[in-house]
Amino acid sequence: MINKNSPIPIYYQIEEYVKELIENGELRPGDSLPPEREYAEKYQISRMTVRQAFTQLVNEGYLFRLQGKGTFVAERKIEQPLQGLTSFTEDMKARGFEPGSQLIHFEIIPATRQIAGQLLISEYGPVYEIKRIRMADSVPMALETNYISANLVKGLTEQIVNKSLYSHIEEKLDLRIDSASQIIESSIASQSEANYLKISKGAPVMLIQRNTFLKDNTPLEFVKSVYRADRYKFMIQMKR
Ligand code: 16G
């Protein structure tokens, strides 16, 4: 696999080789990699070079290290297209995962000025504040807080939001979800976010803010989410 005469740097060749093993399934999530020393001896290269390749793969999310235990293959990231306006439940089902939610908080609160501004309702108007851990096959993927006007979407209950909000809104309330705008920025998990998402404090996350509108442009929801950066990547098609 390693060609020392190639103009391609050796660390890069190792990286490509390990990626190939992961992509063709020879290395599966959770598998441990042979110690760097073993690679170095086998291919007669320096341990530093192997380390450099592994570090790059850790940074790209293919591998992770456990102190004193070694280097392991990470779970594959979900590649989430950004074009379609879909719900978490739809996204997970489309990938063959069982969608799940754990309700952390459900309350009708008076809208703060920020929330009222996002939902175009009056300050202190009643809004649902719904905080859910969103799960795929019981693994926490994101922490989501929705704000929805209680005058627009009447009669939400804990039972309803334990399932799909979008399907309730469309199928039971017959409202047409039409468009959304979304902002994505990077951040790190706070202690409480880390606990909910079962990651370490300070682990990379993506903050997503979504404003969703009905067919007549009425704001339906204002959502703040924290997505695990080790499990998600986003994709968008572009054309020029
Ligand atoms: C997605 C949406 C969220 C929406 C939810 C409905 C993002 C960032 N958020 O998670 O705005 O409320 O789906 O999901 O994509 P549900 O129908 O499964 O409850």
Side-chain angles (χ1 to χ4, degrees):
M1 100 193 183
I2 303 291
N3 177 0
K4 287 190 182 161
N5 299 322
S6 161
I8 312 283
I10 291 174
Y11 77 87
Y12 192 79
Q13 293 184 44
I14 302 173
E15 244 185 273
E16 294 295 295
Y17 173 66
V18 173
K19 274 188 199 170
E20 228 175 86
L21 293 179
I22 294 173
E23 264 143 34
N24 67 26
E26 276 176 63
L27 277 175
R28 306 186 60 78
D31 284 356
S32 66
L33 269 90
E36 289 162 10
R37 174 179 32 82
E38 236 170 73
Y39 264 91
E41 279 166 15
K42 187 165 167 196
Y43 299 107
Q44 295 294 299
I45 49 181
S46 90
R47 222 173 128 173
M48 277 305 293
T49 307
V50 182
R51 168 152 282 260
Q52 189 181 2
F54 282 14
T55 301
Q56 186 59 29
L57 290 164
V58 168
N59 293 342
E60 288 173 26
Y62 286 93
L63 304 178
F64 66 95
R65 288 194 174 107
L66 284 181
Q67 190 88 46
K69 296 219 169 85
T71 309
F72 301 84
V73 179
E75 289 290 338
R76 274 220 153 144
K77 288 187 188 180
I78 287 180
E79 189 170 284
Q80 176 69 38
L82 288 172
Q83 281 98 339
L85 175 45
T86 50
S87 72
F88 184 83
T89 303
E90 291 165 340
D91 291 340
M92 292 306 112
K93 282 189 176 160
R95 291 191 165 77
F97 292 122
E98 185 60 45
S101 287
Q102 188 187 328
L103 188 58
I104 309 280
H105 179 83
F106 180 85
E107 196 185 358
I108 295 185
I109 58 162
T112 61
R113 195 193 300 198
Q114 186 216 18
I115 293 163
Q118 298 287 343
L119 294 177
L120 299 181
I121 60 171
S122 44
E123 201 178 341
Y124 312 127
V127 289
Y128 296 102
E129 183 177 56
I130 305 160
K131 192 166 186 161
R132 298 181 289 176
I133 304 174
R134 312 303 314 259
M135 291 176 298
D137 288 346
S138 307
V139 177
M141 305 299 274
L143 183 65
E144 196 174 81
T145 311
N146 296 55
Y147 296 94
I148 298 177
S149 162
N151 289 328
L152 177 67
V153 176
K154 296 202 169 81
L156 280 186
T157 61
E158 297 195 10
Q159 285 71 23
I160 293 169
V161 302
N162 265 321
K163 300 217 175 79
S164 168
L165 198 52
Y166 277 14
S167 77
H168 177 79
I169 288 167
E170 290 182 317
E171 287 154 29
K172 296 281 176 342
L173 305 180
D174 211 17
L175 296 171
R176 282 277 299 280
I177 301 174
D178 185 66
S179 62
S181 65
Q182 207 161 275
I183 297 171
I184 304 177
E185 58 187 309
S186 59
S187 185
I188 51 171
S190 67
Q191 185 64 66
S192 80
E193 290 163 352
N195 294 346
Y196 287 134
L197 294 172
K198 301 210 170 93
I199 53 179
S200 343
K201 182 186 176 200
V205 291
M206 280 171 289
L207 303 182
I208 307 188
Q209 189 173 303
R210 185 188 279 194
N211 292 67
T212 311
F213 303 89
L214 298 176
K215 192 82 185 127
D216 63 1
N217 285 331
T218 309
L220 169 70
E221 60 170 2
F222 170 55
V223 189
K224 289 183 186 176
S225 311
V226 182
Y227 276 71
R228 288 176 59 166
D230 62 335
R231 298 307 314 274
Y232 266 92
K233 54 183 168 185
F234 297 94
M235 194 265 280
I236 190 155
Q237 226 59 268
M238 287 172 192
K239 194 163 158 35
R240 175 164 154 105

